[in-house]
Amino acid sequence: MPKDFFSAEPQRDYSNMYLRGVFNWWEASESFKLLPIAEDTYAVTIELIADGQPYDFKVADAAWTMSLNCGSEYKGAVLSLGSEAVLNCEADSLNLQFTPSATGNYRFILDVSDNNEPELSITRIE
């Protein structure tokens, strides 16, 4: 057997994930479901209002499964447009924050090509 046979983490299935946060009362709503846009990449586009306040959110499945409760490892993690954040998918993950600079449509993109370290990015749709 390979040396790290027993230490390998199980593959997570990210195909039924939702953007959950203050903008949708933390619910797993179909309009906030991340849909496949490419191999190992999921996305959802939502409208956000720029009122100067940060939106708290996470990416999680409908049941808040411990290994699919994806947020930050650190309190107060702020995402900015165009940057990527590595998500911590554990029961104790913390909220992420995003403050839009302008009211409009924003796409949240989940890249799971590294199954153990998914990345989230945000772009503005003009």
Side-chain angles (χ1 to χ4, degrees):
M1 268 185 253
K3 177 181 162 188
D4 45 278
F5 177 77
F6 292 105
S7 64
E9 290 191 36
Q11 288 288 99
R12 293 180 173 126
D13 180 5
Y14 296 100
S15 63
N16 289 301
M17 301 292 281
Y18 298 84
L19 187 63
R20 302 178 75 163
V22 296
F23 36 71
N24 66 350
W25 303 100
W26 298 94
E27 296 295 323
S29 321
E30 284 304 307
S31 57
F32 289 83
K33 185 172 184 176
L34 291 138
L35 300 174
I37 59 168
E39 184 175 352
D40 295 327
T41 307
Y42 301 86
V44 63
T45 301
I46 64 169
E47 183 178 11
L48 295 176
I49 297 169
D51 62 1
Q53 297 299 310
Y55 287 94
D56 283 12
F57 68 95
K58 288 185 172 185
V59 175
D61 67 352
W64 291 106
T65 303
M66 287 189 289
S67 63
L68 294 172
N69 178 7
C70 303
S72 174
E73 188 174 352
Y74 306 101
K75 184 175 182 176
V78 177
L79 270 74
S80 56
L81 286 179
S83 65
E84 295 179 345
V86 175
L87 299 181
N88 178 38
C89 297
E90 304 292 335
D92 60 352
S93 72
L94 302 170
N95 295 345
L96 299 159
Q97 290 186 333
F98 175 67
T99 305
S101 58
T103 298
N105 291 316
Y106 291 85
R107 177 172 272 191
F108 291 73
I109 303 165
L110 179 65
D111 178 347
V112 297
S113 52
D114 181 339
N115 190 268
N116 294 317
E117 291 189 347
E119 295 180 345
L120 186 71
S121 61
I122 305 171
T123 60
R124 184 156 186 249
I125 307 297
E126 299 291 332

